[in-house]
Amino acid sequence: MVRRSRRSADEAKAEILKAAERRLKDGGPEAVRVQLVARDVGLTDAAVHHHFGSREGLMAALLRHCARDLRATLQSDIAGWRGGVPDLARLADLFADFYERRGYARLALWLSLTGVRDKGGGILNDLVDALHAIRVARFQQAGLRAPERADTQYLTALIHTTALGDALLGDAMTRSAGLSPGTAARVGFRRFAIQVFERLLDAPR
């Protein structure tokens, strides 16, 4: 029996989200149940419903929690880029950690299939700003007119879509192209994608 204790609303929400995140990582969206999460943190089902409204509300809040965490991590990583050289390999690892190992790609898909739509946006704005500054500098160095910001936004969305697809489909994506299933093919795919994205950052020759 988990001992119940009095806690503030913010503390309760934080504990609930932490417990839900553990269950998501270990068992996917189906493992995130109000009754189980409530038991994990020593609260009643009604208390979880009070804070999040429903299971869908809890799941949506969990995805927003991921978005805040991802954005903060991206800001920290981008600050470490030196000399106009983006660390796209590290970026790929970061997306893989959030979306595959921590299970957030499956959560996003679950919410989409359930019909829950988050109206928020701009989670990758800092990444767009950083990549666009790099592209502008490279184009100017090549004596070319600065690229459109929209093109950098499309490139960022492509990077993001590739990471989500890889996390969700894994071997199925590489098998569809006739590659042998397994870690080697997925590592090769990620390396190839990084090389493509690096070329797209450069000014045309």
Side-chain angles (χ1 to χ4, degrees), residues 140-164:
Q140 290 177 342
Q141 188 175 16
L144 300 173
R145 187 176 65 181
E148 296 289 335
R149 178 178 171 84
D151 288 344
T152 307
Q153 291 172 306
Y154 294 142
L155 173 57
T156 304
L158 179 61
I159 293 171
H160 199 203
T161 300
T162 301
L164 279 167

Side-chain angles (χ1 to χ4, degrees), residues 27 94 127:
L94 190 155
L127 180 59

